[in-house]
Amino acid sequence: MVFDSKIRPITWENGMSKMLDQTIIPYEYKYVNITTGQDMFDAIKNMIVRGAPAIGIAGAQGVVLYAQEGRGIYNNIDEYKKWLLEKADYMSTSRPTAVNLMWACNEQKEVIKNSTSDVEGLIRELTDKAIEIEKDDIERCIKIGEYGAEVVPQGATILTHCNAGALATGGYGTALGVVRSAYAKDNTIQVFADETRPRQQGARLTTFELAMDGIPVTLITDGMCSYFMSKGMIDMVVVGADRIAANGDTANKIGTYTVAIAAKYHNVPFYIAAPLSTIDTSIKTGKEIPIEERSHEEVTHINGKRICAEGINIINPGFDVTPHELIAGIITEKGILRPDYHKSIAEAFKS
Ligand code: MRU
């Protein structure tokens, strides 16, 4: 039995993208229609849709939106394809860290390059690919959940950081997919959710979707995790990922690295849950992962109100990199990869 979440953060309907506006949850639960490529670029950048797999789906849909806009503008299919390939590259720059976005835009570029159809045929092929990426993502997450549930101890308290749930994917979740699958087998497990400053994905989104599914969740602030680990109250950590290097170093939401260090110190197993599309085998180590720098207002303001003095310095990296030595396993749709990650990652791509 799969304990499903009914949340579908992004779908394709009637030639447009329909997405849940994640900037206003939990105050409002509202879908918005995205009808142009530029609007999709902005929706990804402004985090109306967020989470690595979900922005991959969004990027693929964004290429379809551009394809529709380009109808009738070009005299021949080669000019149209050249323009569309440029738009796919542009779409992939809307956020720099999550590799799923580049991966999905590249999938669409392959469709464009390999297509022998006319404009309308190509639009249909790109639409089919975007829908396939969305559906595949849910299936991948369910598999991740099933593999991950095997390492969740009976009655465990699981700590997570940020939101790697239904809202961040096609609709089941990676880290929260593990929680959902484990909960379906053992309803005595519970979750501790880090608040996740500055955008509060843990407080606003993780607690929202777990509460919706009736899974017990306790909200803590980011600095509290080592306190609860020292009390023996956390049995394992599961988080998502935005990009995993060939050696297993993993970029995820800022603050994840701190949790991983605390987990190592307290002998709490620290797991990453992510589809293979999050692994970037073209880069050797986490040092090569580009880290997004976001607006200073995310740090200086809460709900539009300034919380600090004027005239101070601000730095706001959106992600950090957890070294592979701190990671007990990477839970993928092909099973749990263990150290040596060089070998286990390479093997996962072969099979
Ligand atoms: O900035 P966000 O909210 O897009 O960051 C999201 C995360 O860091 C998630 O943990 C990651 O993308 C995995 S989502 C399954």
Side-chain angles (χ1 to χ4, degrees):
M1 199 268 278
V2 165
F3 196 82
D4 196 7
S5 159
K6 299 289 169 281
I7 297 171
R8 293 288 175 269
I10 177 164
T11 53
W12 184 257
E13 270 181 37
N14 305 322
M16 60 181 117
S17 176
K18 196 177 156 197
M19 65 173 72
L20 254 181
D21 184 345
Q22 298 195 34
T23 63
I24 53 177
I25 294 174
Y27 318 111
E28 280 182 70
Y29 190 78
K30 195 175 84 182
Y31 278 91
V32 290
N33 292 331
I34 304 292
T35 57
T36 70
Q38 185 58 50
D39 283 352
M40 182 60 90
F41 183 98
D42 295 339
I44 296 170
K45 196 176 174 58
N46 299 327
M47 295 172 66
I48 291 171
V49 60
R50 37 68 49 201
I55 63 175
I57 297 164
Q61 293 183 353
V63 177
V64 185
L65 293 171
Y66 271 124
Q68 293 177 164
E69 285 169 57
R71 261 188 189 119
I73 295 179
Y74 291 91
N75 295 329
N76 66 58
I77 187 84
D78 291 333
E79 273 180 34
Y80 174 73
K81 281 184 167 185
K82 185 170 171 287
W83 170 81
L84 206 45
L85 287 170
E86 283 166 15
K87 291 298 181 192
D89 280 337
Y90 171 65
M91 189 61 65
S92 71
T93 62
S94 48
R95 288 191 78 186
T97 303
V99 76
N100 309 60
L101 175 61
M102 293 101 215
W103 170 84
C105 291
N106 276 336
E107 291 280 300
Q108 291 294 45
K109 283 175 73 178
E110 288 305 308
V111 172
I112 299 165
K113 286 181 202 159
N114 295 328
S115 175
T116 52
S117 307
D118 60 7
V119 169
E120 292 309 317
L122 177 52
I123 292 173
R124 273 196 299 278
E125 288 167 23
L126 290 165
T127 306
D128 289 347
K129 181 50 107 180
I131 293 169
E132 181 192 315
I133 289 175
E134 180 196 332
K135 298 279 171 282
D136 278 0
D137 184 73
I138 299 179
E139 280 161 30
R140 273 193 278 261
C141 284
I142 290 171
K143 284 190 189 138
I144 289 170
E146 281 164 6
Y147 282 117
E150 290 169 18
V151 291
V152 176
Q154 179 79 23
T157 297
I158 305 170
L159 175 73
T160 193
H161 189 77
C162 193
N163 173 265
L167 287 164
T169 60
Y172 189 71
T174 54
L176 295 192
V178 173
V179 167
R180 288 197 163 89
S181 297
Y183 190 79
K185 292 183 185 151
D186 170 13
N187 68 4
T188 67
I189 67 155
Q190 58 167 321
V191 174
F192 269 42
D194 276 349
E195 174 190 17
T196 319
R197 274 283 286 152
R199 293 289 294 238
Q200 292 155 326
Q201 291 94 328
R204 292 191 304 105
L205 307 177
T206 294
T207 63
F208 176 83
E209 64 167 271
L210 290 179
M212 204 177 210
D213 277 357
I215 300 177
V217 56
T218 301
L219 175 65
I220 62 173
T221 65
D222 294 347
M224 293 179 186
C225 73
S226 35
Y227 172 78
F228 289 112
M229 286 179 191
S230 75
K231 297 266 176 209
M233 288 171 66
I234 307 293
D235 299 297
M236 67 185 289
V237 179
V238 188
V239 298
D242 283 80
R243 196 185 297 221
I244 302 170
N247 71 344
D249 291 352
T250 296
N252 191 50
K253 181 51 53 195
I254 192 78
T256 303
Y257 181 23
T258 312
V259 176
I261 293 170
K264 187 75 168 181
Y265 185 79
H266 293 288
N267 284 321
V268 174
F270 176 95
Y271 286 94
I272 300 291
L276 291 184
S277 56
T278 304
I279 302 179
D280 183 354
T281 51
S282 75
I283 58 167
K284 290 198 182 76
T285 76
K287 287 199 174 69
E288 295 167 60
I289 299 175
I291 300 296
E292 179 179 15
E293 179 68 27
R294 294 194 59 87
S295 102
H296 292 177
E297 281 68 36
E298 288 185 350
V299 177
T300 55
H301 288 67
I302 291 181
N303 289 340
K305 200 164 181 200
R306 193 169 175 99
I307 55 155
C308 55
E310 301 281 352
I312 56 168
N313 299 324
I314 306 292
I315 313 178
N316 185 20
F319 300 90
D320 57 28
V321 176
T322 298
H324 61 90
E325 300 88 357
L326 303 182
I327 300 169
I330 301 174
I331 306 164
T332 74
E333 70 273 31
K334 292 235 179 125
I336 303 181
L337 313 184
R338 301 281 186 180
D340 168 347
Y341 291 115
H342 266 301
K343 279 196 194 138
S344 55
I345 287 176
E347 270 158 27
F349 277 93
K350 267 189 234 147
S351 58

